[in-house]
Amino acid sequence: MSKGNYLFTSESVSEGHPDKVCDRISDAVVDAFLAGDSQSRVAVETLTTTNRIVMAGEVRGPEDIDAARMEEIARAAVKAIGYEQDGFHWKNAEVDCHVHAQSVDIAQGVDAAGNKDEGAGDQGLMFGYACRETDVLMPAPIHFSHSILRSLADARHADAGLGLGPDSKSQVTLRYENGKPVGATSVVVSTQHAEELSQDDVRAIVRPHVEKILPDGWMCPEDEFYVNPTGRFVIGGPDGDAGLTGRKIIVDTYGGAAPHGGGAFSGKDPTKVDRSAAYATRYLAKNVVAAELAERCTIQVAYAIGVSKPLSVYVETYGTGKVDEEKLADAVQKAMDLSPRGIREHLQLNRPIYERTAAYGHFGRQPDADGGFSWEKTDLVDALHNAL
């Protein structure tokens, strides 16, 4: 098989997946703090298991967001997802909150003081990516995997009698010819369901959602269409498997089609470059592709804790670039201030916009009127051309 012809697979998990339940609770806490004080600092992790929710982390912000308030936030998030099961119920689950004040040692490294600008909240490297495989400039396998599960979730929320539960996963394998996706070779969907539904019943419910999402003629062969391949998926969610914040970083980003620096997003306020710089590099890469400067683009940045300027900026266009990559690296830095403060102000990240990001990917979404998914805008095209 030549380099341009291959199979590539990406997976997604739904809002009811145990790890995603945790991501949502953690991000709901972030939103509550930012709504009370836009300069709040939050780093909150969540664990879920059978009828238990545990939160831990460090915060600095409004004092009225205490353990009792965070318990309310957690229950509301679980209720919105739709968990009212014997083994995991928004009303009956035990909630433990072990969130405390942020370390003064971390705070002094991050806070601006005197002539010192706000520094990065930690060291690390972050990647952003964009390509022309879909209209949202995302890799096709992860885009379709997310879309299938969102369609199923919409149907579940609209019709409680459908018999689907909140926990589900999808996996899409696409065939590429000359580097471009041309069809699906296999699709896997596993979804929690009511006791009375058979595997064939679930297959019949799932099929139209897959066929609706995939382009015409892209449906996989029937013997490669797997729905609940174990045969039964009644016990699910945190009752079936423990969940943790930040354990689905590839699902959250590019489905394995691009590098990942290793840092999770959920539960972190935007001074944490794990989150804000990953959003900034996606924003820049998407604008590079939207500006027709490349068909594919990866951008990496790196930071040191307490230091405002990035240590490096790297651009890779995989032979599709129309300008020299070194010049492109200079151009993106002219078009956007990549200090932590510069990123937050440019993308207006100090707002309660994060709970909605916790499922179905942080990228490839439509920008919201209130500033959500601001990193998905393509309003930097002219600035990039001017910088070049």
Side-chain angles (χ1 to χ4, degrees), residues 16 35 46 51 87 124 126 137 164 174 182 226 232 322 334 363 369:
T46 304
N51 259 342
M126 301 85 209
L137 305 186
L164 297 183
L174 298 184
V182 297
Y226 303 96
R232 174 184 165 90
K322 296 183 178 179
K334 291 176 182 175
F363 308 131

Side-chain angles (χ1 to χ4, degrees), residues 9-14 17 140-152 167-173 186-191 206 210 213 225-229 233 248 251 255 360:
T9 304
S10 294
E11 72 157 346
S12 179
V13 298
S14 73
H17 185 281
I142 187 68
H143 178 68
F144 295 144
S145 294
H146 287 323
S147 298
I148 290 167
L149 294 187
R150 291 194 77 177
S151 182
L152 284 168
D167 192 0
S168 59
K169 302 176 77 171
S170 65
Q171 185 171 283
V172 175
T173 301
S186 67
V187 175
V188 184
V189 179
S190 295
T191 180
V206 168
V210 176
I213 295 302
F225 179 42
Y226 303 96
V227 177
N228 285 9
F233 189 3
K248 286 291 178 285
V251 170
Y360 313 117

Side-chain angles (χ1 to χ4, degrees), residues 328-343:
L328 198 51
D330 290 337
V332 298
Q333 293 176 81
K334 291 176 182 175
M336 184 181 186
D337 177 0
L338 288 173
S339 69
R341 182 196 298 275
I343 292 170

Side-chain angles (χ1 to χ4, degrees), residues 156-347:
R156 173 176 62 85
H157 285 296
D159 182 3
L162 189 61
L164 297 183
D167 192 0
S168 59
K169 302 176 77 171
S170 65
Q171 185 171 283
V172 175
T173 301
L174 298 184
R175 183 176 74 257
Y176 284 71
E177 294 180 359
N178 298 317
K180 298 184 183 299
V182 297
T185 61
S186 67
V187 175
V188 184
V189 179
S190 295
T191 180
Q192 189 180 14
H193 60 87
E195 180 88 38
E196 63 271 16
L197 293 182
S198 68
Q199 187 179 25
D200 288 341
D201 293 334
V202 178
R203 188 181 184 89
I205 293 171
V206 168
R207 180 188 297 279
H209 294 276
V210 176
E211 293 177 339
K212 176 182 72 173
I213 295 302
L214 294 177
D216 290 343
W218 280 39
M219 186 62 181
C220 64
E222 188 63 21
D223 61 354
E224 293 292 333
F225 179 42
Y226 303 96
V227 177
N228 285 9
T230 64
R232 174 184 165 90
F233 189 3
V234 174
I235 299 172
D239 187 30
D241 189 14
L244 291 169
T245 300
R247 203 160 56 172
K248 286 291 178 285
I249 60 176
I250 302 303
V251 170
D252 283 346
T253 53
Y254 308 103
H260 196 296
F265 303 157
S266 292
K268 299 174 182 177
D269 74 76
T271 66
K272 279 70 171 176
V273 284
D274 275 344
R275 177 167 228 159
S276 59
Y279 291 171
T281 50
R282 161 63 178 172
Y283 174 63
L284 290 170
K286 186 174 184 180
N287 275 271
V288 166
V289 174
E292 300 185 350
L293 297 171
E295 293 291 305
R296 295 172 60 202
C297 181
T298 291
I299 296 178
Q300 184 209 54
V301 294
Y303 293 89
I305 187 168
V307 179
S308 62
K309 67 179 181 66
L311 306 182
S312 66
V313 178
Y314 165 82
V315 177
E316 170 65 63
T317 56
Y318 307 93
T320 69
K322 296 183 178 179
V323 298
D324 180 78
E325 289 165 342
E326 188 174 346
K327 292 180 180 178
L328 198 51
D330 290 337
V332 298
Q333 293 176 81
K334 291 176 182 175
M336 184 181 186
D337 177 0
L338 288 173
S339 69
R341 182 196 298 275
I343 292 170
R344 286 191 302 104
E345 293 180 351
H346 188 112
L347 295 176

Side-chain angles (χ1 to χ4, degrees), residues 122-136:
D122 200 354
Q123 70 176 46
L125 49 141
M126 301 85 209
F127 289 91
Y129 180 74
C131 63
R132 289 209 168 273
E133 293 180 15
T134 60
D135 59 355
V136 292

Side-chain angles (χ1 to χ4, degrees), residues 350-384:
N350 282 89
R351 294 185 282 188
I353 55 174
Y354 298 107
E355 184 177 359
R356 71 195 74 171
T357 69
Y360 313 117
H362 293 244
F363 308 131
R365 310 283 288 273
Q366 293 300 316
D368 294 326
D370 65 352
F373 301 104
S374 59
W375 50 93
E376 290 297 310
K377 293 181 179 180
T378 53
D379 56 1
L380 212 59
V381 168
D382 290 340
L384 287 171

